[in-house]
Amino acid sequence: MTVGFVMLCHTALDRAAQIARHWAERGCPVVVHVDRRVASKPYGQLVADLADLPNVRFSGRHACEWGTWGIVAASQEAATLMLRDFSDVRHVYLASGSCLPLRPVEELRTYLDERPKTDFIESVTTEDVGWTIGGLDFERFTLRFPFSWRKQKWWFDTYVKLQRMVRFRRKIPAELVPHLGSQWWCLTRQTLSAILEHPERAKIDRYFQKVWIPDESYFQTLVRQVSSTVESRSLTLSKFDFQGKPHIFYDDHLQLLRRSDCFVARKIWPDAVKLYGAFLSDDRSRQAAAEPNPGKIDRLFAKAVERRTKGRPGLYMQSRFPNENFENGRTAGPYSVFCGFADVFENFEIWLSKASGTRVHGHLFAPDRVYFAGGESVYNGALCDSAKVRDYNPKSFLTSLIWNTRGERQCFQFGPADTQKLNWFMSLDGNAQISVISGAWAVPLFHSNQNFSDIRREAARLQKIEQEFLNVLRSPYAKARVRVWSLADFIENPMEPLQTIIDEIGPRQGRRLTEAPRMADLTGFGQFLQNLRNQGMQPVLMGDFPVGDDPATKSTRRGRPYLVK
């Protein structure tokens, strides 16, 4: 007794001929079905290539469009021809033209001889299926599908929605319990003949002709009625991605395929010369016979799917631009945002760079240009200082900056005068450390030489913008590490917050600060705020500055005065 192969082919017919010859020359009958949509010339060439093999047959041709009845009809006709012409076949193995045998035919024959009455076909009830893509599990048996999913996608989806809306349901034949599974099976002669000679076959076929993707349910359902021993698994290694599309194996998958111990694998890239040469050669090194176990490589496929769907943290590129909130980490690494510090302290960027050992930028999102560290006009990854280019896609600008400087923490200044398009993005980014001295934007206004009416108008505008920013940072959805001090609270004791920030930022943790950077002169700032109130503007973000007090002389930290101008 032997095993016969039914091959469903539609492309790469030269490789299909090579595989069919490999099986036929080793005593395995082969019945080949070629999609009716294949032109007559390549089909005739395939017939001529295999004409010298007496145990190769060609079945009647059907159009095999994905998801339609034609694939089942082709399998039925080819299997009928196999059972009729080759009486010594005990198991029939359904394969495709893109399949490749991974183990010698003798091992497969021996394996099946030890299990003469076992049918190998994945067959599970619709309630237990977790791999279907598109949301149609049980509905594929109760709705009608007159339109092609690939060629008439809009009509397909619209008709499905219409049937759901009117609650249309097809009646499933009473004797059938729908099951689903992989298309690729290996059935005994007894089971396959019972399916093909089923007394209700005409009725069952009419029903399945309107089922969506019947090649994954026809044999899988009927085998439960006629088989005494079903092993719900396929002997063919086939892996699918998150969209339900089959993985394609290339030359660099050689060791991976060997490790699976499966008898057959699909899909193989037609130009994988190394794979075809290695697995079709008679001199290949023999491996100890083992139970087929595709689970051995599932971990690698799971990692591949995760990498494809989630990508690398903080990496955005044209070929894999994720949907909103589907990214695997908004940015590639931690970064620090300082709001108001450069207004309160002189030369804050230089001081912070020395104190933390990191690269400290100015206002990256200033309205006029990008202020890179050191006054650079072009930065890592060819990022330029043009505000127009940056504002075309601010999110990509920031994520590119973090990605291009991986391993080096980036720090930059931010304020209400800057573009505010990234407020929510930074707030929802777990990599962001955002430190805010609220109301610090008033210090430059205090020192400016503008008309007071203009100052009051600008102060009102900046306060409104910063308040909206603070509301975003205080959102329950925020994931950034946020610290907010009012201007009055901060200047009363700046050492402790500065020490906390330095410890979190830099590699020099454990180093204690002995002095703060030089602070701007705030003498008379309380009166300035009172003047704003007198002019009708209510400053609420700065904290309590009593009129007449000099906040720069109010307190010390543990007896050590901080430096002021």
Side-chain angles (χ1 to χ4, degrees):
M1 304 298 287
T2 186
V3 55
F5 289 89
V6 169
M7 295 182 61
L8 304 181
C9 309
H10 71 281
T11 186
L13 299 187
D14 55 333
R15 287 300 188 188
Q18 188 178 5
I19 300 302
R21 179 172 294 276
H22 174 84
W23 280 326
E25 289 179 345
R26 287 156 183 78
C28 296
V30 178
V31 174
V32 180
H33 173 275
V34 180
D35 194 320
R36 191 173 65 196
R37 296 172 298 177
V38 174
S40 57
K41 184 175 181 180
Y43 173 71
Q45 183 62 51
L46 176 64
V47 174
D49 290 342
L50 300 175
D52 60 313
L53 298 171
N55 56 351
V56 174
R57 301 285 188 275
F58 286 84
S59 66
R61 301 173 66 187
H62 298 263
C64 297
E65 183 178 349
W66 182 85
T68 64
W69 172 254
I71 299 176
V72 177
S75 304
Q76 288 176 329
E77 185 161 347
T80 301
L81 182 58
M82 174 70 73
L83 298 180
R84 186 194 71 188
D85 287 7
F86 303 102
S87 58
D88 59 337
V89 168
R90 183 171 57 204
H91 277 86
V92 177
Y93 199 120
L94 181 64
S96 75
S98 61
C99 284
L100 176 66
L102 303 182
R103 293 168 63 175
V105 173
E106 295 77 12
E107 290 188 13
L108 174 60
R109 190 181 289 117
T110 301
Y111 185 84
L112 297 177
D113 285 345
E114 295 172 354
R115 301 160 180 82
K117 296 184 179 180
T118 302
D119 297 292
F120 297 92
I121 180 171
E122 187 179 36
S123 174
V124 296
T125 59
T126 54
E127 291 81 3
D128 299 323
V129 171
W131 43 259
T132 53
I133 303 297
L136 294 176
D137 294 334
F138 192 74
E139 282 184 319
R140 66 177 65 192
F141 298 100
T142 59
L143 302 181
R144 293 183 181 273
F145 303 95
F147 301 105
S148 168
W149 183 81
R150 287 187 170 174
K151 296 180 179 179
Q152 301 166 301
K153 185 70 166 57
W154 185 88
W155 285 106
F156 182 97
D157 292 340
T158 302
Y159 194 60
V160 167
K161 292 178 183 177
L162 177 63
Q163 293 177 88
R164 288 172 175 170
M165 186 170 58
V166 301
R167 299 185 178 181
F168 172 80
R169 292 290 184 274
R170 293 181 65 203
K171 184 178 180 181
I172 301 176
E175 65 274 18
L176 297 182
V177 178
H179 283 66
L180 294 170
S182 170
Q183 171 189 358
W184 312 108
W185 42 255
C186 180
L187 301 178
T188 63
R189 169 182 285 271
Q190 181 179 0
T191 296
L192 190 54
S193 60
I195 292 174
L196 296 175
E197 298 168 7
H198 197 288
E200 299 290 331
R201 177 179 166 182
K203 172 186 173 183
I204 293 172
D205 285 3
R206 282 197 301 273
Y207 168 74
F208 273 99
Q209 285 173 12
K210 297 296 188 292
V211 169
W212 192 44
I213 320 181
D215 53 285
E216 294 182 352
S217 58
Y218 181 84
F219 292 98
Q220 293 77 0
T221 298
L222 293 179
V223 74
R224 293 296 180 177
Q225 290 188 331
V226 300
S227 176
S228 58
T229 307
V230 175
E231 282 204 20
S232 184
R233 62 188 177 99
S234 174
L235 298 180
T236 298
L237 172 65
S238 57
K239 295 293 183 180
F240 297 86
D241 64 13
F242 73 104
Q243 294 177 319
K245 298 178 181 179
H247 280 288
I248 298 177
F249 294 101
Y250 300 91
D251 281 338
D252 50 357
H253 293 124
L254 175 60
Q255 298 305 322
L256 187 72
L257 293 176
R258 281 177 173 163
R259 234 162 57 210
S260 72
D261 292 324
C262 291
F263 291 106
V264 177
R266 74 173 302 272
K267 283 181 140 179
I268 309 298
W269 186 46
D271 292 329
V273 177
K274 185 177 179 180
L275 288 184
Y276 282 97
F279 287 110
L280 298 184
S281 170
D282 288 329
D283 329 347
R284 55 179 170 157
S285 57
R286 300 274 301 187
Q287 297 180 350
E291 185 73 19
N293 185 11
K296 290 181 180 180
I297 60 177
D298 280 348
R299 180 179 59 85
L300 295 175
F301 279 91
K303 289 178 65 177
V305 170
E306 182 180 13
R307 173 56 61 87
R308 180 178 177 188
T309 54
K310 298 182 70 176
R312 283 176 282 180
L315 176 62
Y316 300 77
M317 52 191 181
Q318 183 179 7
S319 60
R320 199 208 67 82
F321 204 85
N323 296 326
E324 188 71 24
N325 298 322
F326 274 58
E327 60 275 317
N328 179 21
R330 291 174 170 249
T331 48
Y335 59 97
S336 298
V337 183
F338 295 92
C339 305
F341 286 75
D343 298 327
V344 173
F345 297 109
E346 297 180 358
N347 299 319
F348 176 72
E349 294 95 338
I350 298 174
W351 176 89
L352 181 61
S353 179
K354 293 179 179 179
S356 63
T358 58
R359 192 71 62 93
V360 182
H361 303 281
H363 285 260
L364 292 181
F365 295 94
D368 56 336
R369 58 163 291 195
V370 179
Y371 289 89
F372 288 121
E376 299 289 344
S377 59
V378 178
Y379 207 67
N380 296 40
L383 295 176
C384 70
D385 64 351
S386 167
K388 184 176 181 181
V389 172
R390 175 203 64 201
D391 292 341
Y392 178 78
N393 193 331
K395 183 177 79 170
S396 292
F397 171 83
L398 178 59
T399 55
S400 295
L401 175 67
I402 306 302
W403 175 264
N404 296 337
T405 57
R406 297 185 303 282
E408 180 185 31
R409 191 182 187 109
Q410 301 299 302
C411 305
F412 61 91
Q413 316 306 310
F414 188 74
D418 297 342
T419 178
Q420 303 292 303
K421 295 181 180 180
L422 290 183
N423 290 359
W424 273 108
F425 180 84
M426 293 189 297
S427 173
L428 298 176
D429 185 8
N431 281 327
Q433 175 199 346
I434 305 177
S435 303
V436 182
I437 304 176
S438 66
W441 44 265
V443 176
L445 290 178
F446 170 59
H447 288 289
S448 69
N449 193 29
Q450 302 181 48
N451 294 331
F452 200 81
S453 59
D454 295 334
I455 292 176
R456 180 187 58 79
R457 190 180 304 109
E458 180 67 4
R461 184 182 74 87
L462 296 179
Q463 180 167 261
K464 181 179 180 181
I465 294 174
E466 185 169 73
Q467 186 62 67
E468 293 175 352
F469 178 51
L470 293 175
N471 292 338
V472 170
L473 296 182
R474 290 164 179 155
S475 165
Y477 305 105
K479 297 180 181 179
R481 188 176 183 87
V482 178
R483 295 187 178 91
V484 180
W485 303 270
S486 69
L487 178 59
D489 290 341
F490 186 87
I491 65 173
E492 184 175 343
N493 183 13
M495 295 300 292
E496 184 173 348
L498 286 175
Q499 182 69 60
T500 302
I501 292 170
I502 293 298
D503 287 344
E504 187 174 86
I505 290 180
R508 306 177 184 179
Q509 295 183 5
R511 175 184 174 186
R512 301 301 300 176
L513 294 176
T514 58
E515 59 183 27
R518 185 176 296 275
M519 185 179 291
D521 185 4
L522 297 179
T523 304
F525 188 74
Q527 183 61 54
F528 169 75
L529 297 181
Q530 183 60 47
N531 293 340
L532 288 177
R533 295 187 185 95
N534 295 341
Q535 292 291 327
M537 185 266 173
Q538 183 66 20
V540 296
L541 299 180
M542 298 79 177
D544 183 20
F545 280 89
V547 178
D549 282 353
D550 181 0
T553 61
K554 287 180 62 176
S555 78
T556 61
R557 184 182 185 280
R558 295 182 181 178
R560 295 191 302 269
Y562 56 86
L563 299 182
V564 296
K565 185 174 180 181

